[in-house]
Amino acid sequence: MKFGDVLKQADWKAEKHVPVIEAPEAVGSGALFDVTVSIGKGIPHPNTTEHHIRWIQVYFMPRDGKFAFQVGAFEFSAHGESVAGPNQGPVYTEPKATFAMKTSEPGTLMAVAFCNIHGPWESSAEIELA
Ligand code: FE2
């Protein structure tokens, strides 16, 4: 078994675990652009002490490249924990992150999101050069 064998895929509109990648379809070479990754845009994912998204990591694979680059790693740490007990806390982190990046080559953005009880899920988006 390989790690890729346990990475699940689906349409984010129908499956709440799939990371949604919002990025331009085409960017200028070397120009900064924003990327937003999130969970639950189509169908909300629970965000409770017992069941939540722990992290999202984002990679970029240049089209003619040999190796992927990690461009972001985001950890979501507050899920209602409290001295009063699970789900009694006042603070919940939403599994959503926006960052900026640039590339001089077209390629594929790949996001992996990890649910603490449903494991890792992936999605991808193509980035062209304008
Ligand atoms: Fe889940």
Side-chain angles (χ1 to χ4, degrees):
M1 177 161 293
K2 296 177 291 184
F3 189 62
D5 297 334
V6 300
L7 272 175
K8 297 194 184 318
Q9 298 178 331
D11 182 349
W12 63 264
K13 290 175 186 143
E15 165 51 58
K16 63 179 176 279
H17 288 95
V18 178
V20 178
I21 301 171
E22 293 173 89
E25 289 179 11
V27 300
S29 178
L32 280 172
F33 61 95
D34 284 350
V35 177
T36 297
V37 288
S38 64
I39 299 291
K41 187 175 180 187
I43 303 171
H45 183 277
N47 188 7
T48 66
T49 304
E50 301 87 355
H51 184 192
H52 52 259
I53 302 301
R54 287 267 172 83
W55 51 256
I56 302 175
Q57 295 189 4
V58 186
Y59 299 85
F60 184 76
M61 182 68 183
R63 188 151 304 150
D64 297 322
K66 237 179 164 178
F67 302 102
F69 296 87
Q70 186 180 50
V71 291
F74 309 98
E75 194 165 327
F76 309 108
S77 304
H79 309 284
E81 300 90 338
S82 166
V83 291
N87 303 306
Q88 302 302 307
V91 178
Y92 293 79
T93 315
E94 183 69 15
K96 178 177 183 179
T98 298
F99 64 98
M101 63 172 283
K102 59 186 178 180
T103 177
S104 59
E105 297 180 24
T108 307
L109 273 176
M110 295 168 283
V112 180
F114 184 78
C115 169
N116 71 319
I117 59 178
H118 294 114
W121 292 74
E122 70 171 338
S123 65
S124 63
E126 296 300 313
I127 304 288
E128 304 292 339
L129 289 187

mmCIF file of all heavy atoms in Angstrom, residues 55-72:
data_model
loop_
_atom_site.group_PDB
_atom_site.id
_atom_site.type_symbol
_atom_site.label_atom_id
_atom_site.label_comp_id
_atom_site.label_asym_id
_atom_site.label_seq_id
_atom_site.Cartn_x
_atom_site.Cartn_y
_atom_site.Cartn_z
ATOM 1 N N TRP A 55 -5.849 19.829 9.362
ATOM 2 C CA TRP A 55 -4.907 20.615 8.571
ATOM 3 C C TRP A 55 -5.211 20.512 7.083
ATOM 4 O O TRP A 55 -5.894 19.583 6.640
ATOM 5 C CB TRP A 55 -3.452 20.238 8.841
ATOM 6 C CG TRP A 55 -3.081 18.776 8.762
ATOM 7 C CD1 TRP A 55 -2.859 17.940 9.822
ATOM 8 C CD2 TRP A 55 -2.851 17.964 7.583
ATOM 9 N NE1 TRP A 55 -2.526 16.675 9.368
ATOM 10 C CE2 TRP A 55 -2.506 16.672 8.008
ATOM 11 C CE3 TRP A 55 -2.905 18.219 6.216
ATOM 12 C CZ2 TRP A 55 -2.215 15.627 7.128
ATOM 13 C CZ3 TRP A 55 -2.620 17.185 5.320
ATOM 14 C CH2 TRP A 55 -2.281 15.906 5.783
ATOM 15 N N ILE A 56 -4.690 21.499 6.352
ATOM 16 C CA ILE A 56 -4.689 21.470 4.890
ATOM 17 C C ILE A 56 -3.273 21.805 4.437
ATOM 18 O O ILE A 56 -2.671 22.769 4.934
ATOM 19 C CB ILE A 56 -5.680 22.484 4.279
ATOM 20 C CG1 ILE A 56 -7.112 22.236 4.772
ATOM 21 C CG2 ILE A 56 -5.631 22.408 2.756
ATOM 22 C CD1 ILE A 56 -8.125 23.300 4.295
ATOM 23 N N GLN A 57 -2.745 21.012 3.544
ATOM 24 C CA GLN A 57 -1.443 21.300 2.942
ATOM 25 C C GLN A 57 -1.641 21.497 1.441
ATOM 26 O O GLN A 57 -2.511 20.858 0.843
ATOM 27 C CB GLN A 57 -0.454 20.163 3.191
ATOM 28 C CG GLN A 57 -0.126 19.983 4.670
ATOM 29 C CD GLN A 57 0.998 19.007 4.903
ATOM 30 O OE1 GLN A 57 1.607 18.493 3.973
ATOM 31 N NE2 GLN A 57 1.287 18.764 6.175
ATOM 32 N N VAL A 58 -0.831 22.385 0.875
ATOM 33 C CA VAL A 58 -0.961 22.702 -0.547
ATOM 34 C C VAL A 58 0.402 22.537 -1.226
ATOM 35 O O VAL A 58 1.432 22.977 -0.686
ATOM 36 C CB VAL A 58 -1.479 24.142 -0.755
ATOM 37 C CG1 VAL A 58 -1.740 24.405 -2.237
ATOM 38 C CG2 VAL A 58 -2.751 24.375 0.057
ATOM 39 N N TYR A 59 0.383 21.902 -2.381
ATOM 40 C CA TYR A 59 1.602 21.644 -3.158
ATOM 41 C C TYR A 59 1.418 22.182 -4.571
ATOM 42 O O TYR A 59 0.296 22.299 -5.052
ATOM 43 C CB TYR A 59 1.884 20.136 -3.224
ATOM 44 C CG TYR A 59 2.095 19.514 -1.868
ATOM 45 C CD1 TYR A 59 1.010 19.093 -1.100
ATOM 46 C CD2 TYR A 59 3.374 19.373 -1.341
ATOM 47 C CE1 TYR A 59 1.200 18.544 0.160
ATOM 48 C CE2 TYR A 59 3.569 18.818 -0.091
ATOM 49 C CZ TYR A 59 2.480 18.401 0.660
ATOM 50 O OH TYR A 59 2.667 17.869 1.898
ATOM 51 N N PHE A 60 2.544 22.488 -5.213
ATOM 52 C CA PHE A 60 2.506 22.902 -6.619
ATOM 53 C C PHE A 60 3.462 22.025 -7.410
ATOM 54 O O PHE A 60 4.638 21.883 -7.066
ATOM 55 C CB PHE A 60 2.911 24.374 -6.770
ATOM 56 C CG PHE A 60 2.785 24.874 -8.184
ATOM 57 C CD1 PHE A 60 1.544 25.167 -8.716
ATOM 58 C CD2 PHE A 60 3.905 25.033 -8.987
ATOM 59 C CE1 PHE A 60 1.411 25.611 -10.026
ATOM 60 C CE2 PHE A 60 3.787 25.480 -10.298
ATOM 61 C CZ PHE A 60 2.534 25.773 -10.812
ATOM 62 N N MET A 61 2.925 21.449 -8.464
ATOM 63 C CA MET A 61 3.735 20.615 -9.352
ATOM 64 C C MET A 61 3.869 21.302 -10.693
ATOM 65 O O MET A 61 2.880 21.417 -11.438
ATOM 66 C CB MET A 61 3.062 19.250 -9.528
ATOM 67 C CG MET A 61 3.852 18.290 -10.402
ATOM 68 S SD MET A 61 5.382 17.811 -9.578
ATOM 69 C CE MET A 61 6.108 16.797 -10.860
ATOM 70 N N PRO A 62 5.049 21.840 -11.013
ATOM 71 C CA PRO A 62 5.231 22.448 -12.335
ATOM 72 C C PRO A 62 4.972 21.400 -13.425
ATOM 73 O O PRO A 62 5.307 20.226 -13.256
ATOM 74 C CB PRO A 62 6.703 22.881 -12.335
ATOM 75 C CG PRO A 62 7.056 23.007 -10.884
ATOM 76 C CD PRO A 62 6.257 21.945 -10.189
ATOM 77 N N ARG A 63 4.371 21.855 -14.520
ATOM 78 C CA ARG A 63 3.945 20.915 -15.565
ATOM 79 C C ARG A 63 5.095 20.059 -16.078
ATOM 80 O O ARG A 63 4.929 18.867 -16.306
ATOM 81 C CB ARG A 63 3.311 21.705 -16.717
ATOM 82 C CG ARG A 63 2.669 20.793 -17.760
ATOM 83 C CD ARG A 63 1.521 21.475 -18.446
ATOM 84 N NE ARG A 63 0.536 21.947 -17.505
ATOM 85 C CZ ARG A 63 -0.231 23.017 -17.694
ATOM 86 N NH1 ARG A 63 -0.117 23.720 -18.800
ATOM 87 N NH2 ARG A 63 -1.108 23.391 -16.793
ATOM 88 N N ASP A 64 6.253 20.675 -16.266
ATOM 89 C CA ASP A 64 7.390 19.894 -16.760
ATOM 90 C C ASP A 64 8.367 19.553 -15.643
ATOM 91 O O ASP A 64 9.510 19.177 -15.904
ATOM 92 C CB ASP A 64 8.113 20.683 -17.869
ATOM 93 C CG ASP A 64 7.187 20.910 -19.067
ATOM 94 O OD1 ASP A 64 6.410 19.993 -19.398
ATOM 95 O OD2 ASP A 64 7.242 22.013 -19.662
ATOM 96 N N GLY A 65 7.908 19.681 -14.404
ATOM 97 C CA GLY A 65 8.807 19.418 -13.278
ATOM 98 C C GLY A 65 8.858 17.951 -12.913
ATOM 99 O O GLY A 65 8.064 17.133 -13.393
ATOM 100 N N LYS A 66 9.793 17.650 -12.060
ATOM 101 C CA LYS A 66 9.963 16.275 -11.591
ATOM 102 C C LYS A 66 9.473 16.113 -10.166
ATOM 103 O O LYS A 66 9.102 15.019 -9.751
ATOM 104 C CB LYS A 66 11.465 15.928 -11.641
ATOM 105 C CG LYS A 66 11.789 14.726 -12.486
ATOM 106 C CD LYS A 66 13.278 14.486 -12.479
ATOM 107 C CE LYS A 66 13.557 13.072 -12.991
ATOM 108 N NZ LYS A 66 14.971 12.792 -13.052
ATOM 109 N N PHE A 67 9.499 17.216 -9.394
ATOM 110 C CA PHE A 67 9.166 17.141 -7.977
ATOM 111 C C PHE A 67 8.169 18.234 -7.611
ATOM 112 O O PHE A 67 8.229 19.339 -8.134
ATOM 113 C CB PHE A 67 10.425 17.298 -7.115
ATOM 114 C CG PHE A 67 11.471 16.272 -7.425
ATOM 115 C CD1 PHE A 67 12.566 16.596 -8.207
ATOM 116 C CD2 PHE A 67 11.349 14.969 -6.953
ATOM 117 C CE1 PHE A 67 13.529 15.645 -8.509
ATOM 118 C CE2 PHE A 67 12.303 14.018 -7.249
ATOM 119 C CZ PHE A 67 13.396 14.356 -8.037
ATOM 120 N N ALA A 68 7.272 17.916 -6.692
ATOM 121 C CA ALA A 68 6.290 18.894 -6.227
ATOM 122 C C ALA A 68 6.902 19.772 -5.141
ATOM 123 O O ALA A 68 7.751 19.317 -4.367
ATOM 124 C CB ALA A 68 5.055 18.175 -5.688
ATOM 125 N N PHE A 69 6.441 21.025 -5.089
ATOM 126 C CA PHE A 69 6.859 21.968 -4.048
ATOM 127 C C PHE A 69 5.709 22.162 -3.074
ATOM 128 O O PHE A 69 4.564 22.340 -3.494
ATOM 129 C CB PHE A 69 7.206 23.332 -4.665
ATOM 130 C CG PHE A 69 8.390 23.285 -5.592
ATOM 131 C CD1 PHE A 69 8.216 22.974 -6.938
ATOM 132 C CD2 PHE A 69 9.665 23.542 -5.115
ATOM 133 C CE1 PHE A 69 9.306 22.926 -7.793
ATOM 134 C CE2 PHE A 69 10.755 23.493 -5.971
ATOM 135 C CZ PHE A 69 10.573 23.184 -7.312
ATOM 136 N N GLN A 70 6.010 22.189 -1.783
ATOM 137 C CA GLN A 70 4.979 22.549 -0.812
ATOM 138 C C GLN A 70 4.900 24.075 -0.770
ATOM 139 O O GLN A 70 5.928 24.742 -0.589
ATOM 140 C CB GLN A 70 5.308 22.010 0.578
ATOM 141 C CG GLN A 70 4.161 22.261 1.554
ATOM 142 C CD GLN A 70 4.447 21.735 2.944
ATOM 143 O OE1 GLN A 70 5.500 22.008 3.509
ATOM 144 N NE2 GLN A 70 3.522 20.987 3.488
ATOM 145 N N VAL A 71 3.708 24.622 -0.940
ATOM 146 C CA VAL A 71 3.539 26.075 -0.931
ATOM 147 C C VAL A 71 2.766 26.574 0.286
ATOM 148 O O VAL A 71 2.725 27.772 0.542
ATOM 149 C CB VAL A 71 2.871 26.593 -2.229
ATOM 150 C CG1 VAL A 71 3.817 26.439 -3.412
ATOM 151 C CG2 VAL A 71 1.560 25.878 -2.506
ATOM 152 N N GLY A 72 2.154 25.666 1.044
ATOM 153 C CA GLY A 72 1.457 26.098 2.251
ATOM 154 C C GLY A 72 1.090 24.922 3.124
ATOM 155 O O GLY A 72 0.820 23.823 2.628
#
